[in-house]
Amino acid sequence: MSMLTRIFPEGFLWGAATSAYQIEGSWNEDGKGESVWDRFAHTMGRVARGETGDVACDHYHRMKGDVALMKELGLRAYRFSISWSRVLPEGTGAVNERGLDFYERLVDALGEAGIAANATLNHWDLPQALEERGGWPNRDCARWFADYSRVLFERLGDRVAMWATHNEPHVTALGYGGADFAPGRCDAAAEYRAIHSLNLGHGEAVHAFRAGGKRGPYAGKIGIVLDLHHYVPAGEGEQDRLACERAVDRAQGVFLGPILQGRYPERLMEWLGPLAPEIRAGDLELCFQPIDFLGMNHYFTFKIAYAHRGGLLRHSATQVSEPGLGETALGWGVNPIGIRAVLERVGPMARGMPIYISENGTAMRDESDASGYVEDRGRVNFIRRMLIELHKAIESGINLRGYFYWSLMDNFEWASGYEPRFGLVRVDFPTQRRTPKLSARWYSGVIEHNAVEE
């Protein structure tokens, strides 16, 4: 049987992603301040098995070796996040030079290795000091975020190729509306105020980036990373269709709307009533800044049904898997067609703007041999199926420019702790030994040939 080789466009950006709290460790070292995730993980009952990111992958001390590993794997780009509380321990005020120096050394090491730096400014880990001043539901947080962003732009703006303001701001907001993510406030009104402040902070940071610094305009690109999953109504009736619309608007429309269109989803705002955030004169203009790219994290396809007892939005969600593909180690569905469906829905909203898959990956029940090697054929098949769908999306006219696998290495997976393993590289946490899995070697081949075999 002959195989079809799907060749990606020239210059397609192949990378892998991580985030600060999930890999760095050194949670209180060299002047770093406490973050909301430090506080959350240190609170009994919040994280599986009482695990924390205190040590994680010890990347803070092992950064040079990790960059060497990225180079060995042939990565063209590396997406990482910056810990706000490592740079500004109180969230505002005095810069912690030792913390900022770590990111300067990381960016320089990437440059020497020929790997493009893709930095995210906010990946959920707000400084605890700012949480105590109201956190994201306080609209002042947008201004604090812009001030923090300027520190990074000024220090690293000449060497970072891509900046993302926020990673999955929907999940940051869920930390205010629910109990599963930091800070775990369980306050629905705070969730929607946080959404608006996050949008304002994004706009403020983009504006600061465009204004440039004392050396003039910054050379890189700036955008945002949203979690864009696929939602389908469970049935053909009007109630399921409207429940699905509410689900999409709550998770995506409240960011895509202001950032790409300068407006919030009208029907959702009416539905929320008194829970809807206060929007002041000039707010929407600030959110609606021109950006250079849209980052898309994608993991799920959900079937949405109307449910009278289904919480504020009156809906229930069920994960969908393509027949025969089973589910991941976290019980997540596997539905490769969903990634193309989202691109084909969001692409027209982005009006030709470059889109990057900034995260996509799977947790498998990895079993290592005595040397630490994992023959993860299921993960290889997962990535291959996703890349085939992405290539089809490009063929259909979507301006997709790159793919970042989540994640470079096994790490602290938030409230699930260390058990779910997403990495291309296995981390033996007691010894911190890194061992590339079969998927890492396979992915290196994809990068080398800029192609995937169907």
Side-chain angles (χ1 to χ4, degrees):
M1 186 179 78
S2 64
M3 277 188 165
L4 171 63
T5 301
R6 291 185 172 271
I7 300 171
F8 283 77
E10 190 177 344
F12 193 81
L13 195 60
W14 297 102
T18 64
S19 89
Y21 186 72
Q22 293 179 271
I23 67 165
E24 285 180 4
S26 301
W27 75 278
N28 60 354
E29 198 171 323
D30 285 346
K32 180 186 173 294
E34 185 184 20
S35 78
V36 291
W37 266 96
D38 293 319
R39 177 70 59 91
F40 189 81
H42 291 153
T43 305
M44 193 172 72
R46 295 295 204 178
V47 175
R49 298 169 298 280
E51 292 168 349
T52 73
D54 290 2
V55 177
C57 304
D58 195 29
H59 174 71
Y60 187 73
H61 296 121
R62 298 167 188 267
M63 177 269 290
K64 281 198 167 174
D66 289 339
V67 173
L69 189 53
M70 295 175 216
K71 184 177 181 180
E72 181 192 324
L73 296 179
L75 296 187
R76 303 283 191 260
Y78 172 53
R79 179 172 173 251
F80 60 96
S81 79
I82 293 165
S83 164
W84 186 342
S85 57
R86 198 179 289 289
V87 175
L88 292 169
E90 296 299 315
T92 60
V95 171
N96 174 31
E97 289 295 336
R98 287 175 296 176
L100 190 49
D101 178 63
F102 169 73
Y103 297 107
E104 188 148 36
R105 286 185 285 111
L106 168 61
V107 168
D108 286 345
L110 291 170
E112 287 164 18
I115 298 167
N118 179 343
T120 300
L121 292 161
N122 167 36
H123 196 127
W124 307 357
D125 51 352
L126 183 75
Q128 180 64 28
L130 297 187
E131 175 60 19
E132 286 162 14
R133 293 166 70 181
W136 281 111
N138 176 356
R139 61 182 284 141
D140 288 344
C141 207
R143 180 170 44 81
W144 301 331
F145 178 64
D147 291 342
Y148 153 68
S149 300
R150 281 188 196 93
V151 172
L152 275 305
F153 296 153
E154 189 55 40
R155 184 65 69 92
L156 304 176
D158 57 337
R159 286 161 285 173
V160 170
M162 297 172 72
W163 294 94
T165 53
H166 302 305
N167 173 81
E168 299 189 2
H170 169 57
V171 179
T172 298
L174 287 178
Y176 292 96
D180 294 340
F181 300 97
R185 271 205 217 170
C186 301
D187 178 343
E191 175 182 331
Y192 290 97
R193 290 199 309 276
I195 284 168
H196 189 50
S197 293
L198 284 156
N199 283 326
L200 292 172
H202 161 80
E204 292 260 25
V206 173
H207 181 72
F209 184 80
R210 298 280 181 233
K214 54 180 177 276
R215 290 192 294 269
Y218 301 113
K221 307 286 189 192
I222 194 163
I224 190 168
V225 168
L226 302 178
D227 43 327
L228 300 176
H229 307 300
H230 187 35
Y231 292 77
V232 290
E236 293 177 12
E238 182 78 347
Q239 283 194 316
D240 284 354
R241 186 185 67 75
L242 289 173
C244 188
E245 180 187 281
R246 288 193 295 277
V248 173
D249 281 345
R250 183 240 187 154
Q252 301 176 13
V254 290
F255 299 106
L256 287 168
I259 290 164
L260 297 183
Q261 299 168 321
R263 62 175 184 267
Y264 278 100
E266 206 170 300
R267 272 206 284 230
L268 180 68
M269 291 298 113
E270 285 174 12
W271 181 276
L272 292 174
L275 294 179
E278 178 198 3
I279 299 167
R280 299 179 189 170
D283 281 2
L284 290 173
E285 289 80 3
L286 180 59
C287 301
F288 187 34
Q289 300 280 325
I291 55 175
D292 301 313
F293 68 89
L294 176 65
M296 169 177 153
N297 293 357
H298 180 87
Y299 295 97
F300 311 115
T301 294
F302 292 111
K303 196 173 280 187
I304 304 293
Y306 172 79
H308 182 65
R309 294 184 181 273
L312 178 63
L313 299 185
R314 298 283 188 269
H315 78 304
S316 66
T318 309
Q319 294 220 18
V320 176
S321 261
E322 188 180 311
L325 291 188
E327 58 183 33
T328 77
L330 279 168
W332 296 358
V334 179
N335 191 53
I337 291 165
I339 201 167
R340 175 158 55 103
V342 176
L343 282 167
E344 290 175 350
R345 173 171 61 83
V346 172
M349 293 174 70
R351 296 182 300 280
M353 181 192 303
I355 299 174
Y356 293 83
I357 301 301
S358 35
E359 281 184 32
N360 172 245
T362 183
M364 293 287 179
R365 292 175 181 83
D366 290 346
E367 290 181 18
S368 66
D369 64 17
S371 73
Y373 178 69
V374 177
E375 195 169 314
D376 53 342
R377 295 188 182 279
R379 186 172 284 108
V380 168
N381 190 47
F382 174 96
I383 304 171
R384 186 178 62 83
R385 289 294 307 275
M386 290 292 175
L387 293 181
I388 289 166
E389 293 303 324
L390 294 179
H391 191 269
K392 289 177 182 175
I394 292 168
E395 286 182 323
S396 76
I398 301 296
N399 188 15
L400 182 69
R401 298 283 188 90
Y403 176 84
F404 290 78
Y405 178 78
W406 181 271
S407 77
L408 173 66
M409 55 184 147
D410 298 336
N411 56 40
F412 178 84
E413 280 298 332
W414 307 111
S416 300
Y418 291 99
E419 209 164 86
R421 290 179 177 265
F422 280 83
L424 295 168
V425 175
R426 184 178 192 274
V427 178
D428 178 62
F429 292 106
T431 64
Q432 290 295 341
R433 188 174 65 182
R434 275 78 158 136
T435 309
K437 304 174 189 177
L438 173 68
S439 56
R441 302 302 182 199
W442 177 86
Y443 189 50
S444 292
V446 170
I447 296 169
E448 184 183 352
H449 296 107
N450 197 38
V452 66
E453 302 282 355
E454 185 168 357

